[in-house]
């Protein structure tokens, strides 16, 4: 049996051992595959998708996640973690994700218990072992399981399995919460998160695929995939992007010539996220 098939079978066995499961669902590549496989292996009545509605989740991503859950005929409930009520999270220390995930998974676990679901699962994969992910510690403290990681599935393999399953997320660009655009030590507020979301929507509407707008006060630092840099610096596109991003409240619009890379704000920590 090919190695990927072995891992897929291991994932099935892990899920069967869990029984009834509540899945932290975001509509991203990983959690979407996990939800699809869990539904196939355990059946609809034994799977609960839990979507967190927070200011750090773009409205477009929220709507897409709801559509995905509906297309899979999954039971999906929405929780409101309200992480902005936690001063530790708002202060935005280097381990901000710890406080976010602690709040998030506590809410998911509560909903799971109330509905008779014994296990809470997340979409962490085998590649996440090498990343800077303080939120992982919060998940472990709360007993959250990571079946994709435990099955040894990498991001590339998850994309391959997603393609086999016909999931529209198979080639979806990597997505992180909007708070990841704010440098550590800069307060996370609903206003800043909304400003970043609007600025990134400018790039999405301009047809860019992989991008981030990093928030540095009145400076918007744009990252796009290296292959997309030439189009962004073309006069007509550049001028419109600058104009539209400034309209969202930024005084200066800069382009990071290194291009998009995951967790660029962690570079000062010597870690990647």
């Amino acid at each position: 049996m090919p190695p990927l098939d072995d891992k897929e079978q291991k994932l099935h066995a892990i899920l069967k051992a869990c029984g009834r499961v509540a899945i932290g669902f975001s509509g991203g590549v990983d959690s979407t595959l996990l939800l699809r496989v869990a539904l196939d292996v355990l059946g609809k009545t034994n799977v609960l998708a839990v979507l967190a509605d927070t200011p750090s989740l773009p409205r477009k991503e929220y709507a897409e996640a709801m559509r995905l859950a509906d297309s899979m005929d999954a039971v999906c409930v929405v929780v409101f973690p309200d992480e902005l009520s936690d001063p530790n999270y708002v202060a935005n220390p280097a381990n901000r994700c710890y406080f976010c995930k602690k709040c998030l998974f506590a809410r998911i676990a509560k909903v799971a218990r109330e509905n008779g679901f014994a296990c809470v699962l997340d979409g962490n994969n085998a590649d996440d072992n090498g990343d800077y992910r303080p939120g992982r510690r919060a998940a472990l403290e709360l007993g959250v399981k990571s079946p994709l990681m435990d099955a040894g599935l990498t991001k590339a393999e998850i994309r391959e399995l997603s393609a086999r399953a016909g999931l529209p997320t198979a080639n979806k660009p990597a997505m992180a919460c909007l708070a990841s655009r704010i440098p550590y030590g800069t307060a996370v507020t609903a206003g800043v998160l909304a400003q970043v979301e609007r600025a990134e929507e400018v790039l999405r509407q301009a047809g860019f695929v992989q991008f981030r707008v990093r928030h540095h006060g009145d400076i918007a630092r744009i990252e796009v995939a290296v292959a997309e840099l030439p189009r962004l610096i073309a006069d007509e596109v550049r001028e419109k992007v600058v104009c539209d991003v400034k309209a969202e409240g930024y005084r200066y619009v800069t382009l990071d010539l290194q291009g998009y890379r995951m967790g660029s704000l962690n570079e000062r920590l010597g870690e990647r996220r």
Side-chain angles (χ1 to χ4, degrees):
M1 182 180 291
L4 182 53
D5 291 344
D6 284 340
K7 291 182 180 182
E8 186 177 24
Q9 291 305 310
K10 184 175 181 180
L11 175 61
H12 290 186
I14 291 169
L15 288 170
K16 287 176 182 176
C18 288
R20 307 189 77 217
V21 300
I23 297 173
F25 177 65
S26 67
V29 179
D30 302 324
S31 65
T32 298
L33 178 71
L34 182 59
L35 178 58
R36 176 69 275 163
V37 176
L39 289 167
D40 292 342
V41 171
L42 302 174
K44 177 179 177 178
T45 59
N46 293 314
V47 179
L48 180 68
V50 185
L51 175 61
D53 187 5
T54 84
S56 65
L57 179 68
R59 296 300 83 194
K60 181 177 182 294
E61 293 294 319
Y62 174 84
E64 286 185 1
M66 292 296 288
R67 284 194 294 269
L68 270 171
D70 184 63
S71 71
M72 289 188 279
D73 194 29
V75 178
C76 183
V77 299
V78 177
V79 295
F80 302 90
D82 190 25
E83 65 270 32
L84 287 173
S85 66
D86 181 356
N88 293 305
Y89 172 86
V90 172
N92 198 15
N95 64 339
R96 178 199 66 244
C97 287
Y98 171 82
F99 300 107
C100 176
K101 295 299 185 185
K102 193 84 170 180
C103 180
L104 169 64
F105 284 116
R107 293 294 176 95
I108 293 177
K110 182 175 184 293
V111 169
R113 288 193 303 270
E114 291 171 347
N115 289 275
F117 291 85
C119 289
V120 175
L121 312 180
D122 70 17
N124 277 300
N125 63 64
D127 291 337
D128 295 330
N129 280 317
D131 266 348
Y132 174 64
R133 291 183 180 265
R136 174 76 178 148
R137 179 163 68 90
L140 292 173
E141 288 175 357
L142 291 168
V144 177
K145 297 182 179 181
S146 304
L148 300 174
M149 180 180 286
D150 294 340
L153 286 162
T154 65
K155 190 75 166 190
E157 291 170 331
I158 290 167
R159 289 188 184 280
E160 183 174 340
L161 290 177
S162 298
R164 289 186 190 178
L167 295 173
T169 50
N171 294 311
K172 183 175 182 176
M175 180 65 192
C177 78
L178 291 170
S180 67
R181 281 57 153 180
I182 305 173
Y184 298 126
T186 299
V188 179
T189 68
V192 169
L193 293 170
Q195 183 181 13
V196 170
E197 180 179 359
R198 295 193 304 269
E200 291 196 344
E201 185 60 24
V202 169
L203 294 171
R204 181 176 290 106
Q205 291 297 322
F208 293 95
V209 176
Q210 187 69 76
F211 53 82
R212 296 287 187 267
V213 173
R214 307 295 186 184
H215 177 91
H216 299 273
D218 59 1
I219 300 172
R221 175 168 61 86
I222 294 176
E223 298 175 11
V224 298
V226 172
E228 296 185 282
L229 282 171
R231 192 167 77 83
L232 181 53
I233 62 177
D235 285 347
E236 183 176 346
V237 176
R238 176 180 54 80
E239 289 171 2
K240 179 169 175 51
V241 167
V242 168
C243 179
D244 291 350
V245 172
K246 281 187 172 183
E248 300 305 341
Y250 290 102
R251 178 169 296 185
Y252 305 104
V253 181
T254 68
L255 175 61
D256 190 320
L257 295 180
Q258 283 186 263
Y260 165 77
R261 63 255 187 229
M262 183 173 60
S264 70
L265 291 176
N266 285 330
E267 289 169 352
R268 66 176 181 147
L269 302 176
E271 306 268 14
R272 281 190 76 225
R273 171 170 166 247

